[in-house]
């Protein structure tokens, strides 16, 4: 079955069935019945355009690919990315109504990488949620830091940090909070 046929079949199902949010919090009103992550990494040259959730079910192989993509590129260590973080990223992307993929600056960080970054910048938390696979630092060329942060904040699913000087937004699935300019 082609991807187009698969999407068509699920789209037809959504007309007759109520959306199912049993595996996701209600804050994901913008995430949709089909959740898709589009990202690229300037560090590794890799790209991902992945449907990872369809009508209440995470797709195991797709989530595994997202985990690999969001690995610590410095050490190649992989950690399971918290699916709530993926959902927040997807919902924010959908709320901004953009076709452009996110540029992933940082997903999972090993403790060694986090310590190295912390020694170089006071903006890196000692117990960063990046080390738990619960955070991502993202950029979009077509949207400002403020626009991205507003979309992520509207999801009400976790922390949102604005880093205007470095042109990126931090999104995580920790406690709801915000910081930066």
């Amino acid at each position: 079955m082609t991807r187009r046929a698969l999407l068509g079949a699920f789209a037809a199902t959504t007309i007759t069935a109520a959306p199912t949010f049993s595996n996701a919090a209600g804050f994901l009103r913008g995430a949709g019945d089909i959740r898709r992550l589009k990202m690229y990494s300037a560090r590794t040259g890799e790209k991902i355009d992945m449907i990872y959730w369809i009508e209440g079910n995470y797709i195991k192989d797709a989530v595994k690919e997202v985990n690999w993509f969001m690995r610590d590129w410095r050490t190649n260590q992989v950690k399971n990315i918290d699916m709530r973080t993926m959902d927040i990223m997807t919902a924010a992307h959908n709320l901004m109504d953009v076709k452009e993929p996110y540029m992933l600056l940082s997903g999972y960080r090993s403790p060694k990488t986090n310590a190295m970054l912390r020694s170089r910048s006071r903006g890196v938390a000692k117990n960063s949620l990046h080390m738990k696979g619960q955070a991502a630092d993202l950029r979009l060329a077509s949207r400002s830091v403020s626009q991205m942060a507003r979309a992520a904040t509207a999801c009400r699913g976790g922390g949102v940090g604005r880093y205007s000087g470095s042109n990126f937004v931090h999104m995580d699935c920790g406690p709801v909070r915000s910081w930066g300019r």
Side-chain angles (χ1 to χ4, degrees):
M1 180 178 264
T2 67
R3 181 175 165 192
R4 185 177 300 253
L6 178 66
L7 290 174
F10 283 104
T13 306
T14 61
I15 293 170
T16 58
T20 303
F21 291 102
S22 59
N23 292 337
F27 67 82
L28 291 170
R29 66 187 184 287
D33 292 332
I34 295 174
R35 297 183 188 165
R36 175 183 187 179
L37 264 177
K38 295 191 313 186
M39 295 185 283
Y40 72 96
S41 170
R43 309 272 190 203
T44 66
E46 297 169 334
K47 297 176 182 178
I48 191 167
D49 185 347
M50 184 66 56
I51 293 173
Y52 68 92
W53 190 91
I54 298 176
E55 296 222 342
N57 295 303
Y58 290 96
I59 302 167
K60 190 181 203 177
D61 289 340
V63 169
K64 190 174 178 180
E65 283 191 51
V66 172
N67 291 339
W68 171 254
F69 180 84
M70 293 182 69
R71 73 192 179 280
D72 182 334
W73 61 270
R74 290 173 178 90
T75 65
N76 266 345
Q77 288 180 285
V78 177
K79 176 113 177 151
N80 289 336
I81 301 300
D82 193 306
M83 290 181 245
R84 295 173 299 169
T85 299
M86 287 189 261
D87 290 341
I88 292 164
M89 293 164 52
T90 299
H93 197 264
N94 289 347
L95 288 171
M96 289 182 281
D97 193 27
V98 293
K99 303 272 188 244
E100 168 192 0
Y102 283 123
M103 175 192 284
L104 177 70
L105 302 174
S106 184
Y108 168 66
R109 282 190 212 141
S110 67
K112 180 180 176 180
T113 294
N114 199 70
M116 179 271 297
L117 293 172
R118 187 168 160 71
S119 73
R120 296 179 182 178
S121 170
R122 54 188 185 93
V124 177
K126 182 177 183 178
N127 294 313
S128 172
L129 291 177
H130 286 278
M131 294 189 299
K132 295 179 179 181
Q134 295 180 330
D137 295 338
L138 306 161
R139 177 182 294 153
L140 286 170
S142 67
R143 296 294 186 264
S144 69
V145 167
S146 289
Q147 289 170 317
M148 288 181 64
R150 278 195 304 271
T153 300
C155 296
R156 302 173 66 128
V160 178
R162 296 173 191 234
Y163 293 88
S164 297
S166 300
N167 189 29
F168 74 88
V169 172
H170 168 98
M171 298 179 196
D172 70 50
C173 65
V176 176
R177 67 215 184 285
S178 62
W179 64 93
R181 307 179 194 162

